[in-house]
Structures are given as structure tokens and as C-alpha cells.
Amino acid sequence: MPTGNSAALIGLDWGTTSLRAHLLDASGAVIERRSSAEGILADHKGGFEGTFGRVAGDWVARAPGLPVIASGMITSRNGWVETPYVRVPAGVDELASSLVPHDLSPASRIHFVCGMDYDPVDGTPDIMRGEETQIAGCLERGSGGEGEEGLFVMPGTHSKWVSVRGRRLDKFDTYMTGEVYAVLKGHSILGRLMEKSAGPLGTGFDQGVSARLESDGSLLRHVFSARTMALFDRVAPDQVADYLSGLLIGEEVRSALKDCGSGSGSGSGAGATVTIVGDGALTERYRRALELAGVAAVPAPEDAAALGHFAIARQAGLIAG
Amino acid sequence: MPTGNSAALIGLDWGTTSLRAHLLDASGAVIERRSSAEGILADHKGGFEGTFGRVAGDWVARAPGLPVIASGMITSRNGWVETPYVRVPAGVDELASSLVPHDLSPASRIHFVCGMDYDPVDGTPDIMRGEETQIAGCLERGSGGEGEEGLFVMPGTHSKWVSVRGRRLDKFDTYMTGEVYAVLKGHSILGRLMEKSAGPLGTGFDQGVSARLESDGSLLRHVFSARTMALFDRVAPDQVADYLSGLLIGEEVRSALKDCGSGSGSGSGAGATVTIVGDGALTERYRRALELAGVAAVPAPEDAAALGHFAIARQAGLIAG
């Protein structure tokens, strides 16, 4: 239920598989939070506006004219309103000045946050929708080295690594780690030798991470060792899945630390600190992999997306007071 | 139909999804060939012996006591008779002296060829069953640099790269290229933007190979460009599948040439020659990728497996005369 603070903003973190809504006060504190499995791929009766009304309609009714801000895949071609990308380097300023407004009613307007894109010299562009807002939220709370510089990882099906410099997103890279793991486990020969692990994070994971950190051979060859190591009894059957997970996350961590060390972002590699954005078991895997690589990890602030919505909305002059 | 030459050997190249049988004369020439989709995963009524009888029983009936030699996954745990691995470096001598005999009848015996394994210092072992026999066949015909040294690639679901030194298999590596391509195309988000290509080998393939040969970034990041390059209209929808194929084969070729250049095998890299073992559209992709890498490719002799069966059987004293 609402506290005594008056509502100043509704923030929607609306991704492919979930919708998280926050009611915020004028200081950026969360008054109330709701979540729904109605990501953009769900069946939206009454369209996205209908879903928004069911999830947050009472917030709007209590405070007509309350500004609404939304980020994530809801701004993609398959979302509610497609927004362009803001090119990095960019920060809260650019996100605030590029908001795409959409009228819900004469009294109510929703502002969509643009995603960001990155077009490095190697000619392979990269994109994000939603993560830029979470990074803005981390910076709002001074996460990642006093908020000026830092390296952030956002583990997931498609992990993002973001370098921040001067409070702006400087560059970022997407790694398909989570999805490659899922398809190799579920659909390749590697899944056949895997037995369910009893524990939460097995020794096979450490073994995989360490092996990959030490190898510069091709990943296409190294993943085959998830089969041969099992056949040679060097990885137990209930550790093969974690071993493969370790190989892949080890590859990602090694590459991301190397890229950031040589890129225009903050210096990284051993001794650096990485901020992990997210929660759940997957972030623990990344923390452990970074530890094995000699890099300390710190968690991002809670409600990073909501904090980002607040920072962008404030910069855009949407918040009264 | 049989020629006038008398039969001296039956060779079986019996893999996971197919069985190829050859009737050979005492000079190693193929008198007759047969193939069947009854690989080891098929439903073998009457067991493997029943299948062998249906495919080659008349050959045995015509010449009772004719030696039979078999290689491939038929020697694996899920095959007919499981054989151990011969450790590289090894050649025809070791394959001949390690044949595993199995009596079919008092007059008829089948000899199973051992697979090979490789246990490099990095602790990730590798294995093959069947490819060692094809290499023996290539060497029998002097393929790969007068038969003394050479680098061989055997494209497939799991590609093998084999370095030969002094007519012996020196080391080898397995790359899961074909299977990774299939699972990413069939089960990941990358498949969603792919449209069927009109031509046999599109410009997207060259684009993918070249991009990967020039990049030393992580493959987990690079494969995501099969999505972003399509979204940014830099790869046409009907070329996305070939682009991904190019990225993966480019990765394999680059890694294999680098490994062999620095390994104990024959010097490789630009200027070297690679022998491609196999047939069909996939070998053309490897030939083209090698060309883009500045490396000439030559085809292996036809019937490499049959030639290998002949060389091993002759060395083992199984062939009369």
C-alpha cells in the first residue's frame, strides 16, 4: 500500500518476458512495486494499453496526470511504440532529451526511453533496450566507482557488458552466453552426458571457468571437451552442465575484461571492480567467475531500473518540485 | 557388378548415420560399393550382424573367409564391438597391430579398427573413430604433401583437423562447428531473422568468413552480429544463415591454421595446403573459407576410407598375396 509520500512518477521496466512497475516519490524512493509475467511476447488483451491499465491503472486514477516512463523491449518493433537508438557515448542527458511521448488520454502521457546502439570500427553493431536505464540507475546511486567510471555486467540470455566513462555509457558488448548454453544443453550432443546436479553451483563450474581463462584456443573446440572430459571421467556426470556453463561464462569474462582493458573505457583486468546488475543464481555464477579471474565484483543497487527512470524523468523535467 | 578381379577385402565405414561397404581387390581397387542409411543409431533387426548380412552377405557367400575390416562409430560403446583408443602420434602400423577381431562364423572374421585419442597438455582430451582410417587412406595415395606431412580437415557436424608428420597422425582437434550452427539456426533467436537463400553459397558467407578472420573478439559476441547486421540492413535476410555459417567456419579455419602453425605438426598458415576430406556442399564452404584465408585446398582421394581399410589390412597381413 502507498506510504504517506506523494507519488511523482510511474516507471515501467517492460521486457520480453516480464513487466515491472514502480510507483516513485519525488525523491526517487519506491512507494509501491508490482510485477507481471506480461512481457511484450504475452497475449495483450486490449493491447499494451490494456495491460498497463490492469497493472497500474489505479495509480493513474489516484493521481491523474502522473507522468509515466517506460523502457525495455516495449520500445522495439514488436512493442508498443518503437523508438530509435541513441548512439553511445551518451548518458542521462541524451536519454532525457530523446524521450518519445505518447498520449494515453488528455491528462496522461507515457514517455518511452530510447535504447542505445554502438557501432564499433570492426563493423559489427550492437544494441540494447532497457539496460541503458538500469545503468542510469546505477550511476544515480554512485555505483561503479563514484558514478564516474566503471564496468558493468548484466547477466542474462544475452549478457551486456557496459563501460562507463564520465557518467556516460561509453561502449557496450552483447554476449550470447546464456542462449548458447541453453541450446547446447538442450539440443546438442553435449546435453546427453549431463546428469542433474545435486548442489547449487558445482566444482564443475570452477573447472570450466579456470580451463577457459587459461586457454586461448577456439571456443568451438573447447566446448567439445564437455563431452570428452566426461568420457575420460575428468568431470563427473552431474557436473558436466556446470562445466559447460563455466567454459562459456569464463570465455565471456575473459573477453570482456580484455576488451575493456584495451578499449576507451575504464581500465580493467585483474584488480578492477565490476558491478553486477541483476539478481538470482546467475549473478552468483558471474561473481564466482570474476573472482577466479582475480576481479572483485559488487552488486548493483536494488531497483536499478526504477532509479534510472527517476533520473531520466527528473532530467527531462517531468517530476514536479 | 563385380569385375574380373578377385575380391580380397570387405571394408565397412560404419558411422552414426550411415554404413558404406566396399569390396576391394588385392591392389586396393574398389570392385563394388554399397551404402545404407543404417548407421549405428538405426534400428538393427538381428543386431549389427543382421545388418551386415543384409548389406554384404552375398559378398561373404561368394568368397567364404574373405577378411572384413570395419571402422567408425561402430567401434564405440553404442556400436557392435567397443575398441580402445590408440594414442597419437600413431599411424598405420599401430592401427594394424591393434585391430580387434570378432568371429562371425568359423570361417569369417571381422576386424575392428581402433579409434584414436589425443591428450594435449591443456588437459582437454580429444577423440576420433573412423577419421583415422580416412587419413590412412589419404596417406596411401600420397595425399597431403607426398604422404609425409600435411594438414587435413574433415568437415562435418564435428569437424576434425588432423596434422600428419612422418606419415603418422601427430595431433588432431575437434570443432563443433556444424552442430553449433545447426542449434543456433534451429533453436536460437538468430534463426528468426533468417530467410531461405536462393543460391548455393551466398555473399553472406564470404562476409562472415572475412569478418571472423579479421576479428579476435569473442565468438559469443560475434555470433550476435548475425542479428544486428540483419537489423542494420548490412546483411540481407536471405544471407543471414550463410553469414552465420561464415562466422563459424571462419573461426574454425583461423583457429586450426594458427594451432597448426604453432604446434608440432607441419608448418601451416598462409601459403600452406590443406587437404579436404569429404564431399558435398560443406566441403565447398571449407574450400572457400580457406581461400579467403590465403590457403590452398586440395581434395582428398575418393574412397579414402576404403583405401585406409586396405592399407591397414595389408599391414596386418590380412590380404593374401
Side-chain angles (χ1 to χ4, degrees):
Chain A
M1 293 303 297
T3 69
N5 294 347
S6 41
L9 180 71
I10 293 171
L12 305 177
D13 176 19
W14 205 333
T16 304
T17 59
S18 69
L19 163 60
R20 290 189 181 84
H22 296 91
L23 186 66
L24 305 171
D25 71 14
S27 75
V30 175
I31 300 173
E32 199 176 341
R33 78 189 72 220
R34 291 173 185 170
S35 71
S36 154
E38 290 172 288
I40 70 162
L41 294 183
D43 179 21
H44 293 277
K45 292 179 178 60
F48 292 110
E49 188 163 351
T51 301
F52 169 67
R54 284 191 299 279
V55 169
D58 59 321
W59 290 346
V60 176
R62 283 206 303 266
L66 197 64
V68 183
I69 186 169
S71 63
M73 289 300 283
I74 193 68
T75 69
S76 67
R77 203 165 300 176
N78 299 318
W80 190 345
V81 170
E82 185 178 3
T83 65
Y85 295 105
V86 171
R87 178 69 45 93
V88 292
V92 169
D93 282 3
E94 288 84 353
L95 292 174
S97 64
S98 65
L99 286 171
V100 175
H102 176 77
D103 287 339
L104 296 171
S105 72
S108 180
R109 178 175 276 185
I110 184 166
H111 303 266
F112 290 98
V113 180
C114 290
M116 284 193 182
D117 66 4
Y118 172 46
D119 200 7
V121 287
D122 74 358
T124 55
D126 214 328
I127 51 174
M128 57 166 59
R129 288 192 187 271
E131 293 90 349
E132 72 296 323
T133 301
Q134 292 176 283
I135 297 291
C138 293
L139 297 175
E140 175 72 11
R141 279 293 179 271
S143 181
E146 306 301 309
E148 291 298 330
E149 304 222 342
L151 180 59
F152 298 78
V153 59
M154 318 171 93
T157 306
H158 298 168
S159 294
K160 305 278 186 194
W161 286 77
V162 182
S163 287
V164 168
R165 195 176 176 86
R167 294 184 63 82
R168 301 170 89 214
L169 288 82
D170 189 53
K171 58 177 218 161
F172 64 92
D173 292 312
T174 302
Y175 292 80
M176 287 190 64
T177 312
E179 190 163 15
V180 169
Y181 173 71
V183 297
L184 287 177
K185 183 179 176 185
H187 301 285
S188 88
I189 196 172
L190 301 182
R192 291 190 210 157
L193 293 173
M194 293 177 184
E195 292 176 10
K196 203 174 170 68
S197 171
L201 187 57
T203 55
F205 181 77
D206 282 13
Q207 205 176 342
V209 172
S210 299
R212 192 60 198 157
L213 291 175
E214 288 160 17
S215 168
D216 60 358
S218 173
L219 190 65
L220 290 177
R221 175 177 176 255
H222 215 165
V223 291
F224 190 62
S225 72
R227 178 168 174 79
T228 55
M229 293 291 273
L231 291 173
F232 280 67
D233 294 324
R234 294 182 192 171
V235 174
D238 71 348
Q239 296 298 312
V240 177
D242 278 347
Y243 174 77
L244 177 62
S245 170
L247 282 181
L248 295 173
I249 293 177
E251 161 77 8
E252 177 186 330
V253 162
R254 192 181 57 139
S255 167
L257 295 176
K258 176 173 152 244
D259 281 359
C260 289
S262 62
S264 64
S266 65
S268 188
T273 297
V274 172
T275 303
I276 303 179
V277 186
D279 46 36
L282 189 57
T283 58
E284 171 55 19
R285 288 179 183 249
Y286 278 76
R287 190 203 61 72
R288 178 63 181 153
L290 284 162
E291 183 177 36
L292 290 168
V295 172
V298 295
E302 272 190 275
D303 298 320
L307 286 169
H309 288 140
F310 176 76
I312 297 165
R314 185 187 55 203
Q315 182 68 28
L318 298 177
I319 296 177
Chain B
M1 291 304 298
T3 69
N5 294 347
S6 43
L9 180 70
I10 294 171
L12 306 177
D13 176 19
W14 204 334
T16 303
T17 59
S18 70
L19 162 60
R20 291 190 180 84
H22 296 91
L23 186 66
L24 304 170
D25 71 15
S27 73
V30 176
I31 301 173
E32 197 175 342
R33 77 190 71 221
R34 291 172 187 173
S35 70
S36 153
E38 290 171 290
I40 70 163
L41 295 182
D43 179 20
H44 293 277
K45 290 177 178 61
F48 292 110
E49 187 161 352
T51 301
F52 169 68
R54 283 189 299 279
V55 169
D58 61 322
W59 290 347
V60 177
R62 283 206 303 263
L66 197 65
V68 183
I69 186 168
S71 62
M73 290 300 283
I74 193 68
T75 69
S76 67
R77 203 165 300 174
N78 300 317
W80 189 348
V81 169
E82 185 178 3
T83 65
Y85 295 106
V86 171
R87 177 71 43 95
V88 293
V92 169
D93 282 4
E94 289 84 353
L95 291 173
S97 64
S98 64
L99 286 171
V100 176
H102 175 76
D103 287 337
L104 295 171
S105 71
S108 180
R109 178 176 276 187
I110 183 166
H111 303 264
F112 290 99
V113 180
C114 289
M116 285 194 180
D117 67 3
Y118 172 48
D119 200 7
V121 287
D122 74 358
T124 53
D126 213 327
I127 51 176
M128 59 166 57
R129 287 190 187 274
E131 292 90 349
E132 71 297 322
T133 300
Q134 293 176 281
I135 297 291
C138 293
L139 297 176
E140 174 72 10
R141 278 294 178 270
S143 182
E146 305 304 308
E148 289 298 329
E149 305 223 340
L151 180 59
F152 297 79
V153 59
M154 317 170 93
T157 307
H158 297 169
S159 294
K160 306 279 186 194
W161 286 77
V162 183
S163 287
V164 168
R165 197 177 174 85
R167 293 185 63 83
R168 302 170 87 213
L169 288 82
D170 189 53
K171 58 177 216 162
F172 64 92
D173 292 312
T174 302
Y175 292 81
M176 288 188 64
T177 311
E179 189 163 16
V180 168
Y181 173 71
V183 297
L184 288 178
K185 184 178 175 185
H187 301 285
S188 87
I189 196 173
L190 301 183
R192 291 191 210 155
L193 293 174
M194 291 177 185
E195 292 176 10
K196 203 174 171 69
S197 171
L201 187 56
T203 55
F205 181 77
D206 282 13
Q207 206 177 343
V209 171
S210 299
R212 192 59 198 158
L213 290 175
E214 286 160 17
S215 169
D216 60 357
S218 172
L219 190 65
L220 290 177
R221 176 175 175 257
H222 215 164
V223 290
F224 189 61
S225 73
R227 179 169 174 77
T228 55
M229 293 291 274
L231 290 174
F232 281 66
D233 295 323
R234 293 183 192 170
V235 174
D238 71 348
Q239 295 299 313
V240 177
D242 278 345
Y243 174 77
L244 177 63
S245 170
L247 283 180
L248 295 172
I249 292 177
E251 161 77 8
E252 178 186 329
V253 162
R254 192 181 58 139
S255 167
L257 294 177
K258 177 173 151 241
D259 281 1
C260 290
S262 62
S264 64
S266 65
S268 187
T273 297
V274 173
T275 302
I276 302 179
V277 186
D279 46 37
L282 189 57
T283 58
E284 170 56 18
R285 287 178 184 252
Y286 278 76
R287 190 203 60 73
R288 177 65 181 153
L290 284 162
E291 183 178 36
L292 290 169
V295 173
V298 294
E302 271 190 276
D303 298 321
L307 286 169
H309 288 141
F310 176 76
I312 297 165
R314 183 188 55 202
Q315 182 68 26
L318 298 177
I319 296 178

